[in-house]
Amino acid sequence: MPPCACSLSKSKNCGETTTKAYPIYSRAITALLLCILPLLASCVMLPIPTAESKVLAGKPVTEEQLSFLKPNITTKQDVIERLGSPNVIWEDVSVFAYNWDMRQGILFWAVGAYYSGGMGTMDIPKHYALLIQFDEQDRVQRFERRVRPLSQSYIDFLKEWVKTPSPQSPRNPLGQGE
Amino acid sequence: MKHAGLHSEQRYTEGHGLWHSQSTLPSLLSALALMVLFAHLVGCTSLNVLSDAEKSAINAGEKTVVLLRIECTIDNQPQEPFRASMWTGEPIVALGIGGFETVGEPRLAVHGFLSEDSRRAGWTYFALSSGVYYLAVLGPESDAGIKNIREAPRWRVDVPENTRLLYIGTLPLTGRVDGAFLFGGKIIKSANNEEFIVKNEHELAKSLLVEHFPGGGEMKTSPMRRWHRGDPIIIRTLRPDSGR
């Protein structure tokens, strides 16, 4: 009976048939690879917060621009004339969505592998949306300026807003989503 | 060397003064993995002809067959836009569909063919519920399969309720050969101008759909409309069984 196989087997009697003998080299190679791999590759990611001064996408809508919105008075046409065509129209629930992205930070990344690597930066966006819902007479029923979490999909964000009525206030004092 | 008393699949061999077993199990597992991979590739790359399940869903009114034709020419010569399988060549036209769940953003779409002949002629279909969709068409390009479909030109497609068969038009695409790859094959680049003109081949589409859906009812024609960046994306809530 090969001595090494006997020591590896779980059988108490080395004369018995063993069915769990493992190659000697495979364990050593596995252990060596596990030690080497972390040394061969490394990745660094560093988020750096910044002021929201850069527009990444869309056209921002400020609080002052929302002053013309009056529930039960302002019409859909008024909204289009003042703010332009919305980015998204959810037809069956009469919702307009205006979207824009501001930069809230910069992500610095660097990756190295053996003797080469790369690095760069990318903007971290903050997704804003102005959501306006109209009634059957195409008059503003409610509106809100919100921030969509990075982890939430756009459609879930819209569905959530439609399902949960919010106070009709242009200033959004409850600060929902911000 | 085979050791007495061991399992028949294991052998002990001597190497470098050490004893170790050589199980045939890993080689069997490798062979099995290769077989599964090959079967998967074959399944993925076979012609995507309408399945019985899809036909049932369409006949039951749960989905609408949305038929489209791509008329592709390369250097003024007709070219098949869709390949039968990945083994017959790289795709030169890629299609994406965006709808309610993606708020119009197109994703690479799985689309089917009614038959081999119709595929060659550029006919393809989507099985969709009623609603508003945005069709993105990329190509003809040699690397159409790996480019970002979101950057491709888009068309708005309206799928009405209570419709089983819908034809949305024929889209001409033009390309040109721009050299050759290192190991053969032509490099194809798109030569489309921005003035895509959607053609209406109503009678051809009707004859094709009637052949495959004799009980599908009347075919509707609703040509797709070009969507430009800056135009609003319109979405409608999907309703269950809205194709009825």
Side-chain angles (χ1 to χ4, degrees), chain A residues 1-5 16-25 85-93 154-155 158-159, chain B residues 3-7 10 12 15-16 18-21 100-103 132 156 230-237 239:
Chain A
M1 181 68 165
C4 288
E16 292 178 356
T17 301
T18 59
T19 57
K20 290 188 179 178
Y22 299 100
I24 297 292
Y25 287 135
S85 293
N87 299 107
V88 176
I89 298 175
W90 189 348
E91 262 188 354
D92 45 307
V93 296
Y154 191 34
I155 192 62
L158 292 177
K159 285 179 188 174
Chain B
H3 193 279
L6 290 177
H7 194 277
Q10 290 182 324
Y12 277 102
H16 303 289
L18 297 172
W19 284 93
H20 57 276
S21 70
F100 177 73
E101 289 297 329
T102 63
V103 196
V132 181
R156 176 179 157 176
D231 294 344
I233 288 183
I234 297 174
I235 58 173
R236 278 189 214 132
T237 313
R239 292 183 181 82

